Amino acid sequence: MGRSRRQFLNTSFFSHSALETFEQGKEFGQQIIAPTVICFFGELATGKTTFIKGIVSGFAHIDPTHVQSPTFTYLHIYEGSQTVYHFDLYRLRDMEEFLSMGFEEYFDKEGICCVEWSEKISSFLPPQSILVQMKHLGGDLRSISTSLLDLGKNYV
């Protein structure tokens, strides 16, 4: 793959398997500089958690088998060489619920925040967040697009 940090932003690429999605996430994670918020958008089963497993492995050097989607708890914290805050907001009712749990404080901590279902809090996402859009194209094929978050765009 061999992309530089700049090349991993504002680009699109394809994954043909879960292993390739993981490896792309790992390479992406190796290039992340903390603190950073990474916002994930995509339907169910597009590979968001698999990509995040790669990020956690590449960024914090944590065994990817320890990474699971925090669907029922909203947040998992992984502490390795660096810290990763992994949010899954699928069950979140609204942004007020997010704020009432004090989760916005994690955006200012050292480490990185990976936020699945970011559209639930799109109006609250910090400037300069990294946007990762994932689409299932059939079979094992996925498209993955990365960019800096456009605060003027509606992601709902």
Side-chain angles (χ1 to χ4, degrees):
M1 285 183 264
R3 296 177 181 95
S4 71
R5 178 173 163 80
R6 180 179 296 144
Q7 290 173 319
F8 240 113
L9 290 176
N10 299 315
T11 192
S12 295
F13 45 98
F14 295 96
S15 172
H16 299 87
S17 68
L19 178 59
E20 189 175 0
T21 299
F22 170 82
E23 290 296 333
Q24 289 171 332
K26 185 174 181 178
E27 186 174 343
F28 187 84
Q30 291 168 344
Q31 300 174 49
I32 297 298
I33 299 169
T36 297
V37 176
I38 307 168
C39 307
F40 289 83
F41 294 83
E43 296 297 320
L44 284 170
T46 56
K48 294 182 295 292
T49 301
T50 301
F51 195 78
I52 290 171
K53 284 182 180 196
I55 289 174
V56 171
S57 177
F59 176 77
H61 306 103
I62 294 172
D63 181 343
T65 62
H66 296 292
V67 178
Q68 297 181 10
S69 187
T71 302
F72 295 101
T73 59
Y74 294 117
L75 171 65
H76 284 169
I77 299 172
Y78 307 108
E79 297 195 40
S81 61
Q82 300 187 74
T83 304
V84 178
Y85 305 96
H86 178 193
F87 291 91
D88 184 329
L89 304 181
Y90 181 73
R91 294 179 47 245
L92 191 76
R93 287 188 303 271
D94 52 35
M95 188 169 51
E96 287 72 31
E97 183 180 14
F98 181 83
L99 297 173
S100 74
M101 291 186 267
F103 287 152
E104 75 279 5
E105 294 175 16
Y106 290 93
F107 291 168
D108 295 324
K109 292 185 177 278
E110 278 301 313
I112 61 170
C113 292
C114 294
V115 185
E116 294 187 58
W117 302 98
S118 295
E119 56 271 26
K120 302 258 183 154
I121 60 167
S122 61
S123 63
F124 190 75
L125 295 171
Q128 299 303 307
S129 294
I130 296 173
L131 170 68
V132 178
Q133 292 184 303
M134 301 182 74
K135 294 181 183 170
H136 182 241
L137 302 176
D140 290 332
L141 185 62
R142 308 290 194 264
S143 71
I144 304 169
S145 301
T146 64
S147 63
L148 288 177
L149 187 67
D150 178 354
L151 293 178
K153 184 175 178 180
N154 183 2
Y155 292 99
V156 179

